Amino acid sequence: MANYFGTDGIRGEVGVEPITADFFLKLGWAVGSVLSEQGKASVVIGKDTRVSGYLFESALEAGFLSAGVDVGLLGPMPTPAIAYLTQTYNASAGVVVSASHNQFQDNGVKFFSAKGLKLSDTDQAKIEQKLSEPMVSVSSEKIGKAYRHEQPLGRYIEFCKSTFDRSVNLNNLNLVIDCANGATYHIAENVFSELGANVNIINNTPDGFNINKNCGATDTKHLQQVVLETGADLGIAFDGDGDRLMMVDHMGNMIDGDQLVFIVAKAWKSQNRLTNNSVVGTKMTNLGMRHGLRDLDIQFIEADVGDRYVMEEMKSHGAILGGEGSGHMICLDKTTSGDGIVAALQVLEVLVKSQVKLVELANDMVKYPQVLINVKTKDKVNLDNHQALIAATKEVEAVLGDEGRVLIRASGTEPLIRVMVEAKNASTTQQCAEKLADMLR
């Protein structure tokens, strides 16, 4: 049986299996068939702004209808909005057509349960099994119906605003917001301006091809430049599907996901809001954050890479705060998924209440230099049996000692091996990472 699901749904290059219209048609049928085992089902489908979204939205819709599932179309919406709206509309599942932070040549799909959570491995296995079976449509009288929801934008905007403490406001705060020409383009400005901020919105004119291109959470150079040129208080960057957040302080420094989670964790700890006194991160979480949390007497819980695994550990340990350096931040007392807009509001709430600039809040955590090198691979690499790499890794770890670490892993979404090295000394970090990457090449 083929294994289509990666760490965040199914993703790849458009037109290359499995990112084709015929596969998405069968995928919609397969998911719909699994959902229908529990009785009459309905789904909501949203997408980001890449041009191929029209194609795959339609293919999925047809697949669901052929399985007897009703479909509510949401149009362009952030991934976390679909998690929220799945519950709001009492749907059996939520469907997101998106390749997240990738550029327009790629696309994919991810799913949420009726509770707004990413699907479990068990659920994914059921879908994989169904995909191996012949596609058979329900009889004509049982075919599903499709309709377009009228006010999903307004519902989600009001939800985002409801997560912010209205005893404070964003009046006189000058923000630059980078929408990555993605799914927050018609939402973010409303949320922040309606809470009082002065908003300068950039990269909010998607054309189907410019999503994540030299902008957004994966490339903050443009945002940093605009923040400095305009003298803004800070900048906020989302990725193409709105589940990642990066920030830029007034001096033009990029503040990543680990730093943002630390800022919120420290504030919530002081306010006795940090349930179970714990924060969930991943194997990639910066050593500086780990040490910073330890110094605050906050337990750090390590999950596998991917916000789905962060969520699983949060639920398992009763934690309400978790995230990744890449910008996913999950505030489980607010929402059920990583949400860039909601996360930004939590950071701004800390900033306003403390009356301290973002640069000072970020400096409370000493960030270790981290080098991440992606090595492209044609074939699958067996990392456990790569003897030369294992030997080189041991040599590097001996050099780093307790003041650094190495993590080498295969990407769950792309044909890459990710080599990550952290250490106190930047040049040592770079040299060690290059040595290990060269071994893989």
Side-chain angles (χ1 to χ4, degrees):
M1 186 170 65
N3 181 20
Y4 294 107
F5 285 90
T7 54
D8 194 20
I10 301 171
R11 189 185 306 175
E13 185 178 349
V14 173
V16 178
E17 289 290 343
I19 312 302
T20 60
D22 56 340
F23 176 80
F24 273 57
L25 172 68
K26 189 169 184 182
L27 178 63
W29 168 83
V31 176
S33 298
V34 171
L35 293 174
S36 296
E37 291 172 0
Q38 308 300 319
K40 181 63 178 176
S42 65
V43 300
V44 291
I45 301 179
K47 59 185 179 180
D48 64 24
T49 57
R50 64 196 73 221
V51 66
S52 58
Y54 296 100
L55 171 66
F56 297 124
E57 175 189 49
S58 298
L60 284 165
E61 177 188 350
F64 280 114
L65 297 179
S66 70
V69 175
D70 292 340
V71 176
L73 297 170
L74 300 173
M77 293 292 290
T79 289
I82 295 160
Y84 167 72
L85 292 167
T86 300
Q87 303 167 82
T88 297
Y89 290 126
N90 197 31
S92 308
V95 187
V96 189
V97 180
S98 173
S100 190
H101 58 282
N102 294 23
Q103 293 196 12
F104 86 95
Q105 294 93 340
D106 294 339
N107 214 332
V109 62
K110 40 194 168 183
F111 300 95
F112 290 103
S113 71
K115 295 181 179 179
L117 301 170
K118 295 282 180 72
L119 295 188
S120 66
D121 290 336
T122 302
D123 292 330
Q124 291 183 2
K126 289 181 181 178
I127 296 167
E128 300 264 9
Q129 176 60 46
K130 188 62 71 172
L131 282 166
S132 69
E133 301 173 8
M135 179 178 169
V136 180
S137 177
V138 297
S139 57
S140 57
E141 71 271 12
K142 294 182 179 178
I143 289 173
K145 297 178 180 178
Y147 48 90
R148 186 165 295 278
H149 285 293
E150 292 300 320
Q151 296 184 333
L153 289 179
R155 284 175 179 257
Y156 179 60
I157 288 169
E158 289 306 312
F159 162 71
C160 290
K161 288 160 57 180
S162 75
T163 67
F164 186 76
D165 184 350
R166 300 300 286 271
S167 68
V168 296
N169 60 59
L170 303 180
N171 291 356
N172 302 317
L173 201 59
N174 296 308
L175 308 178
V176 182
I177 299 178
D178 184 343
C179 293
N181 291 311
T184 60
Y185 79 98
H186 52 344
I187 294 172
E189 184 172 12
N190 297 75
V191 172
F192 294 93
S193 63
E194 288 173 19
L195 290 172
N198 299 314
V199 176
N200 178 5
I201 197 98
I202 62 173
N203 297 312
N204 65 324
T205 54
D207 61 10
F209 305 97
N210 58 3
I211 185 171
N212 298 313
K213 185 176 181 181
N214 303 322
C215 60
T218 54
D219 188 346
T220 60
K221 294 186 187 69
H222 182 205
L223 176 62
Q224 290 168 288
Q225 178 184 346
V226 175
V227 167
L228 290 174
E229 288 176 349
T230 61
D233 294 303
L234 58 93
I236 296 171
F238 304 116
D239 69 335
D241 73 329
D243 64 355
R244 294 191 186 200
L245 166 71
M246 295 288 186
M247 285 190 169
V248 173
D249 66 31
H250 74 286
M251 299 176 66
N253 303 305
M254 195 265 283
I255 312 298
D256 72 10
D258 285 343
Q259 294 167 291
L260 296 173
V261 169
F262 181 84
I263 287 169
V264 175
K266 182 178 180 180
W268 286 7
K269 166 86 172 182
S270 68
Q271 298 163 13
N272 295 316
R273 290 176 55 191
L274 196 62
T275 305
N276 282 3
N277 195 42
S278 57
V279 170
V280 177
T282 73
K283 294 175 180 178
M284 298 289 288
T285 298
N286 193 277
L287 267 176
M289 174 173 157
R290 295 165 187 254
H291 292 170
L293 293 174
R294 178 196 63 196
D295 294 343
L296 292 172
D297 195 29
I298 296 173
Q299 180 188 11
F300 174 77
I301 299 165
E302 182 178 274
D304 287 335
V305 175
D307 60 330
R308 182 162 69 95
Y309 301 112
V310 172
M311 175 66 77
E312 288 176 2
E313 292 295 333
M314 291 174 70
K315 290 167 62 183
S316 174
H317 291 86
I320 61 168
L321 181 62
E324 301 183 275
S326 60
H328 290 124
M329 185 194 297
I330 303 173
C331 304
L332 203 49
D333 61 334
K334 307 290 184 184
T335 186
T336 61
S337 68
D339 188 317
I341 292 176
V342 171
L345 290 174
Q346 308 318 303
V347 177
L348 293 179
E349 187 178 305
V350 173
L351 186 146
V352 172
K353 287 182 175 179
S354 65
Q355 296 186 314
V356 173
K357 291 183 180 296
L358 180 60
V359 63
E360 297 172 55
L361 293 174
N363 285 340
D364 286 342
M365 183 191 115
V366 178
K367 186 179 174 183
Y368 276 43
Q370 183 182 91
V371 174
L372 176 63
I373 300 177
N374 293 321
V375 182
K376 287 192 175 182
T377 58
K378 290 183 179 179
D379 303 308
K380 190 171 183 179
V381 178
N382 189 334
L383 295 175
D384 293 333
N385 292 324
H386 197 307
Q387 298 303 320
L389 180 64
I390 291 170
T393 301
K394 288 181 178 178
E395 291 177 12
V396 167
E397 289 176 335
V399 170
L400 299 178
D402 295 333
E403 297 301 323
R405 67 188 185 107
V406 175
L407 179 65
I408 302 175
R409 67 180 187 90
S411 168
T413 57
E414 301 172 83
L416 301 171
I417 302 296
R418 304 193 192 280
V419 177
M420 190 275 286
V421 177
E422 279 180 346
K424 276 192 170 181
N425 182 277
S427 61
T428 300
T429 308
Q430 186 69 43
Q431 290 169 10
C432 291
E434 290 287 356
K435 177 178 180 178
L436 295 173
D438 286 344
M439 186 65 65
L440 276 168
R441 296 189 185 106

